[in-house]
């Protein structure tokens, strides 16, 4: 396409500034810029920008919202828990379960210059989030004598570094045929006021990943849905890269999912505070939904049942079991998932002065799809409550922030391991730093089987692989 024609087309859309540096670009850069421009759905961007102030329909939903059908922590007998676990174990053993890890986010709040999965988080081992996740998966597969494929979603921001990291470390023990890395799509960042698409560089459009909700379309495009069909995978355990406590492929959760004939089962924690900043899982017209904390008015958040418990108690932690059938059914319409608007500070090149701008306040809007917008399409969706101390420690922020910092995550990991050790009969110092490799024990029960009697821990101790405790 000629420059004149492109300029005319872009002018009609109010986006001709994308060519502001055309004269200074080389041939390859020009071709690349044209290719980037051709991939943009300008009509959609313009509509999304025009609707950026639109209030969500949360208030309307709220008028019909009820607490969701839930398996509560204290609502089951030991026998029921064992039955659920057996059922989940069977499905894993039969090779019907896979895992999907979404790791395409830019991790801006953490301020780490590589993909978040490469962050060293092990309190003593310094293992990265990726390594811990994969070792859990490898240990779960070993325990069940099964193959559990990992579908790993990256984005253009994380793809190369992630792929190289996995190759360099021989996939941390995961067989090559059990790892499929696929890349999600992108959306341009737009100047909040004018709606102009931002230039990251003179010949490069500012693109960001299209949100974890981009997973469905990317699973299809990346061949993962076909792979699942070929292998007979019927359910996917979905988790996010930032939570090292997640019990990957939890048999109990999978068991509840199967017993309820659910197409989407989601883990929640009981909110500690009515205004806690987590999504609220609710039931509207018989369908599960998430109402974001920012959309839930304080008055509604504070509502209580006659027994004093919070009415909207279920806080989402973004761990799901999703039926492959639901993914297949919705893959074609994945494009129909709504976009959410996020205001962000996006560095860019000013198209008039050519100067690089590093804003310290939000200047732009970004558009992202969220995974939980699938929920209303799922049949028989249920929630399963977990204990946050044992299941949820997201790494979101850099050291010094009020919550979700590396120090806090490490301490929560050590606290969990101390708890496992005590339950296994060990004597453990109040604040002892301990770490248990997933390859040594995946849970408190396995630890109890392996721990020598009269174990006493007073100094930092790392239980790695099968060789027992190592003092540090
Ligand atoms: P967050 O919403 O916490 O975003 O992602 P983030 O990118 O990690 O961090 P900030 O907001 O920039 O600080 C939750 C999970 O969803 C994944 C992330 O990798 C993380 O596992 N994610 C997020 C994607 O895979 N793709 C996206 O487009 C966004």
């Amino acid at each position: 396409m000629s420059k004149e024609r492109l300029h005319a087309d872009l002018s009609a859309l109010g986006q001709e500034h994308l060519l502001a540096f055309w004269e200074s670009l080389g041939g390859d850069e020009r071709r690349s810029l044209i290719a980037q421009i051709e991939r943009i759905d300008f009509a959609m961007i313009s509509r999304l920008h025009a609707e950026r102030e639109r209030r969500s329909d949360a208030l309307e939903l709220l008028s019909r919202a009820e607490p969701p059908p839930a398996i509560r922590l204290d609502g089951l007998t030991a026998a029921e828990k064992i039955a659920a676990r057996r059922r989940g174990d069977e499905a894993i053993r039969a090779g019907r379960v896979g895992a999907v890890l979404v790791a395409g986010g830019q991790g801006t709040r953490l301020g780490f210059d590589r993909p978040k999965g490469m962050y060293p988080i092990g309190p003593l081992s310094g293992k990265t989030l990726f390594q811990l996740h994969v070792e859990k998966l490898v240990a779960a597969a070993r325990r069940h004598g099964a193959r559990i494929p990992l579908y790993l979603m990256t984005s253009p921001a994380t793809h190369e570094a992630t792929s190289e990291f996995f190759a360099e470390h021989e996939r941390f023990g995961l067989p090559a045929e059990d790892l499929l890395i696929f890349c999600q799509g992108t959306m341009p960042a737009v100047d909040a006021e004018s709606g102009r698409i931002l230039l990251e560089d003179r010949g490069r459009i500012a693109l960001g990943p299209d949100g974890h909700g981009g997973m469905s379309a990317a699973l299809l495009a990346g061949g993962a849905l076909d792979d699942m069909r070929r292998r007979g995978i019927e359910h996917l355990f979905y988790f996010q890269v930032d939570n090292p406590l997640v019990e990957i492929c939890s048999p109990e959760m999978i068991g509840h999912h199967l017993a309820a004939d659910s197409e989407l089962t989601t883990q929640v924690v009981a909110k500690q505070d009515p205004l806690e900043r987590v999504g609220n899982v609710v039931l509207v017209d018989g369908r599960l939904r998430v109402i974001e904390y920012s959309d839930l008015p304080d008055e509604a958040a504070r509502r209580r049942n006659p027994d004093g418990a919070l009415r909207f108690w279920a806080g989402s932690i973004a761990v799901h079991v999703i039926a492959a059938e639901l993914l297949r059914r919705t893959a074609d319409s994945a494009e129909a998932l709504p976009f959410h608007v996020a205001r962000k500070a996006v560095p860019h090149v000013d198209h008039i002065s050519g100067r690089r701008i590093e804003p310290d306040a939000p200047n732009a809007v970004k558009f992202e799809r969220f995974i939980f917008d699938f929920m209303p399409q799922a049949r028989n969706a249920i929630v399963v409550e977990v204990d946050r101390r044992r299941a949820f420690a997201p790494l979101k922020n850099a050291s010094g922030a009020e919550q979700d910092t590396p120090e806090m995550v490490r301490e929560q990991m050590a606290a969990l391991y101390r708890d496992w050790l005590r339950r296994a009969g060990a004597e453990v110092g109040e604040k002892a730093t301990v770490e248990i490799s997933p390859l040594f024990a995946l849970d408190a029960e396995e630890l109890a089987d392996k721990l020598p009697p009269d174990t006493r821990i007073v100094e930092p101790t790392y239980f790695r692989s099968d060789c027992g405790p190592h003092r540090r």
Side-chain angles (χ1 to χ4, degrees):
M1 191 186 292
S2 72
K3 189 221 162 175
E4 287 66 34
R5 173 75 199 283
L6 194 57
H7 193 272
D9 288 355
L10 288 172
S11 296
L13 298 162
Q15 302 284 0
E16 70 280 8
H17 66 287
L18 294 176
L19 301 180
F21 306 107
W22 184 264
E23 301 309 330
S24 67
L25 301 180
D28 283 352
E29 290 171 314
R30 288 181 179 180
R31 275 186 290 280
S32 153
L33 182 59
I34 292 175
Q36 293 169 60
I37 290 172
E38 282 174 346
R39 278 198 292 270
I40 294 176
D41 181 341
F42 287 97
M44 178 166 76
I45 299 295
S46 156
R47 179 174 55 76
L48 290 171
H49 178 257
E51 292 173 353
R52 68 195 181 285
E53 304 290 354
R54 204 181 73 175
R55 290 199 58 82
S56 81
D57 51 3
L59 281 184
E60 197 270 319
L61 289 177
L62 197 60
S63 62
R64 288 175 284 134
E66 304 165 67
I71 312 276
R72 298 298 303 255
L73 265 181
D74 53 6
L76 291 182
T77 63
E80 285 168 326
K81 285 185 190 169
I82 291 171
R85 181 181 270 238
R86 286 222 178 102
R87 198 163 185 157
D89 282 337
E90 263 168 42
I92 299 172
R93 253 199 315 275
R96 290 160 53 205
V97 177
V100 61
L101 164 58
V102 295
Q106 289 170 304
T108 37
R109 284 169 289 172
L110 183 61
F112 180 56
D113 60 0
R114 279 166 285 168
K116 202 189 270 187
M118 290 168 66
Y119 194 91
I121 198 68
L124 292 169
S125 66
K127 279 182 188 171
T128 61
L129 285 160
F130 278 142
Q131 180 167 4
L132 288 168
H133 292 319
V134 174
E135 287 184 351
K136 284 188 198 181
L137 200 66
V138 166
R142 191 176 62 189
R143 176 186 280 188
H144 289 90
R147 306 277 293 273
I148 309 179
L150 175 64
Y151 301 98
L152 170 56
M153 185 169 89
T154 56
S155 67
T158 63
H159 186 77
E160 223 177 279
T162 302
S163 305
E164 278 170 13
F165 191 60
F166 272 75
E168 199 181 303
H169 294 278
E170 298 183 359
R171 303 166 305 282
F172 302 103
L174 197 65
E177 57 279 24
D178 289 345
L179 176 67
L180 196 155
I181 303 183
F182 63 104
C183 192
Q184 70 177 108
T186 55
M187 284 289 280
V190 166
D191 178 74
E193 282 310 306
S194 65
R196 278 194 206 100
I197 291 171
L198 293 173
L199 283 169
E200 183 177 294
D201 214 333
R202 291 170 172 248
R204 214 169 53 237
I205 286 168
L207 295 172
D210 60 357
H212 37 63
M215 179 190 85
S216 179
L219 275 173
L220 179 69
L225 287 186
D226 282 344
D227 188 74
M228 286 162 59
R229 191 193 299 276
R230 190 175 54 72
R231 301 174 71 126
I233 300 292
E234 292 169 11
H235 305 278
L236 269 191
F237 185 91
Y238 166 100
F239 63 109
Q240 304 193 331
V241 77
D242 48 27
N243 177 16
L245 294 196
V246 58
E247 189 192 345
I248 296 173
C249 294
S250 155
E252 200 176 313
M253 180 181 179
I254 293 168
H256 291 312
H257 171 83
L258 294 172
D261 192 22
S262 159
E263 283 192 323
L264 192 148
T265 299
T266 187
Q267 273 184 7
V268 296
V269 293
K271 283 165 58 181
Q272 282 169 330
D273 178 309
L275 305 184
E276 189 177 342
R277 293 159 74 94
V278 285
N280 296 271
V281 187
V282 299
L283 191 72
V284 178
D285 303 335
R287 298 278 167 166
L288 224 55
R289 285 181 177 271
V290 169
I291 298 184
E292 290 182 83
Y293 62 83
S294 48
D295 287 337
L296 188 66
D298 288 7
E299 167 279 315
R302 290 185 207 278
R303 263 178 231 165
R304 293 194 181 262
N305 298 328
D307 67 358
L310 279 181
R311 178 158 170 79
F312 301 120
W313 61 272
S316 170
I317 60 168
V319 176
H320 317 293
V321 179
I322 308 175
E325 172 54 30
L326 173 67
L327 292 168
R328 279 195 281 273
R329 209 174 58 231
T330 53
D332 291 339
S333 58
E335 296 298 324
L337 283 188
F339 277 100
H340 297 250
V341 173
R343 293 185 174 268
K344 301 259 166 128
V346 175
H348 60 282
V349 172
D350 181 76
H351 69 277
I352 298 172
S353 66
R355 278 212 323 271
R356 186 149 187 85
I357 315 272
E358 302 274 350
D360 39 26
N363 60 315
V365 286
K366 284 180 145 184
F367 307 108
E368 294 192 350
R369 290 187 163 117
F370 291 168
I371 191 81
F372 59 64
D373 283 320
F374 271 122
M375 283 184 181
Q377 304 192 47
R379 276 187 292 108
N380 303 335
I382 53 164
V383 312
V384 174
E385 185 190 358
V386 290
D387 177 346
R388 75 170 68 214
R389 285 169 312 151
R390 297 195 177 156
F392 185 50
L395 176 64
K396 298 283 186 195
N397 299 317
S399 303
E402 262 173 38
Q403 56 183 22
D404 306 334
T405 63
E407 293 72 24
M408 291 174 196
V409 172
R410 287 190 190 110
E411 170 46 29
Q412 208 177 322
M413 292 173 78
L416 175 75
Y417 299 135
R418 286 196 292 270
D419 179 50
W420 287 7
L421 284 160
R422 289 191 190 114
R423 284 161 64 192
E427 195 185 311
V428 189
E430 181 71 18
K431 290 246 175 298
T433 306
V434 280
E435 180 176 345
I436 297 167
S437 163
L439 301 175
F440 185 79
L442 264 182
D443 50 32
E445 290 74 27
E446 189 176 5
L447 182 68
D449 287 344
K450 289 186 173 170
L451 202 66
D454 303 324
T455 301
R456 216 172 141 252
I457 290 167
V458 284
E459 54 193 9
T461 305
Y462 175 40
F463 292 78
R464 71 167 165 232
S465 127
D466 277 324
C467 27
H470 288 256
R471 312 276 176 230
R472 299 274 296 222

